[in-house]
Amino acid sequence: MRGAGCCIGVDDVPWLQFSAGPAKKGSEILPPNQVLDFKNLYAENCAGCHGAEGRGGAAIALADPVYLGIADDAAIRKVIANGVAGASMPAFAQSAGGMLTDKQIDVITSEMRSRWGKPGILDGSNPPSYAAKSGGNIPQGEAAYKTYCASCHGASGQGDSKGSAITNDSFLALISDQGLRTIVIAGRPELGAPDWRGNLPGKPMSDQEVTDVVTWLTSHRVQNPGQPYAAANVQH
């Protein structure tokens, strides 16, 4: 029993009730710039376009060992940090106007490879280089397109029952030259599109053929994508 002169105890005032013990490990809420857990970083910044667990979505699957085999860490990190000008990939580095620190970008880059890469997957396959080494040729690119791509994407790239339209002006406005090259080389396995070795069985695309196809595709870009009329005809 309390004596007549006893002070009020914490049980009498709910807001005074508290735990004197230390906070449980992991219960603290970290500031956004201190989050270094890959799953959280990927889910918050990458999954919206590249799909849960890197399985692909509006953008390529990042959990593709072939893609991770042709793109080194420096190339991947550069895209994450700086984005892709003129395409739908934004910059995530704080130094480029994004929200992620250099350390967070390092975590995403390294964890993608450690979780989804397969060392040696391209051994003996002589893949085309990630970036183009030379200029492309439009007529040769059209010929290569007809050989390797038309059976799925249609004779002029406007799409078919097997593949999407890839000379569509809106599509080309949302993807960079490097993005096209990456898809030609690595494919879109989540969509059933083969890599550079699978378009024509027994005849993989050469590095120059990849370059030429991309050059032919980009020759279809227009000044004002998505408009059914020429910019010169617009009345102001």
Side-chain angles (χ1 to χ4, degrees), residues 93-202:
Q94 290 180 348
S95 59
M99 297 292 291
L100 299 183
T101 66
D102 288 345
K103 193 169 185 178
Q104 288 173 321
I105 293 173
D106 288 340
V107 168
I108 294 173
T109 302
S110 62
E111 286 291 314
M112 279 173 49
R113 190 171 303 283
S114 65
R115 291 167 182 263
W116 301 329
K118 291 184 180 179
I121 190 171
L122 299 181
D123 287 354
S125 62
N126 191 30
S129 62
Y130 173 74
K133 295 179 178 178
S134 62
N137 180 284
I138 293 176
Q140 290 176 189
E142 183 176 14
Y145 173 85
K146 290 178 179 178
T147 299
Y148 295 103
C149 316
S151 61
C152 288
H153 296 285
S156 60
Q158 289 301 316
D160 205 336
S161 58
K162 295 180 182 179
S164 61
I166 54 177
T167 54
N168 176 276
D169 55 358
S170 296
F171 168 71
L172 290 172
L174 293 171
I175 190 167
S176 67
D177 293 8
Q178 180 59 57
L180 288 169
R181 184 178 179 87
T182 299
I183 292 175
V184 173
I185 300 172
R188 290 289 302 266
E190 75 280 13
L191 300 178
D195 62 35
W196 87 100
R197 299 166 291 187
N199 294 295
L200 195 62

Side-chain angles (χ1 to χ4, degrees), residues 24-115:
K24 293 182 179 179
K25 185 177 181 180
S27 64
E28 305 90 347
I29 298 177
L30 295 174
N33 64 355
Q34 293 184 20
V35 174
L36 295 176
D37 177 73
F38 172 77
K39 288 187 176 180
N40 287 339
L41 290 171
Y42 180 86
E44 291 294 325
N45 299 283
C46 315
C49 290
H50 295 283
E53 300 297 324
R55 292 191 293 266
I60 64 170
L62 298 176
D64 175 9
V66 173
Y67 164 69
L68 293 172
I70 64 167
D72 61 20
D73 286 355
I76 293 172
R77 194 187 190 289
K78 181 179 179 182
V79 171
I80 297 171
N82 301 327
V84 180
S88 54
M89 174 69 184
F92 283 94
Q94 290 180 348
S95 59
M99 297 292 291
L100 299 183
T101 66
D102 288 345
K103 193 169 185 178
Q104 288 173 321
I105 293 173
D106 288 340
V107 168
I108 294 173
T109 302
S110 62
E111 286 291 314
M112 279 173 49
R113 190 171 303 283
S114 65
R115 291 167 182 263

Side-chain angles (χ1 to χ4, degrees), residues 177 180-181 184 209-219:
D177 293 8
L180 288 169
R181 184 178 179 87
V184 173
E209 285 173 326
V210 171
T211 299
D212 291 340
V213 164
V214 171
T215 301
W216 180 76
L217 288 171
T218 58
S219 72

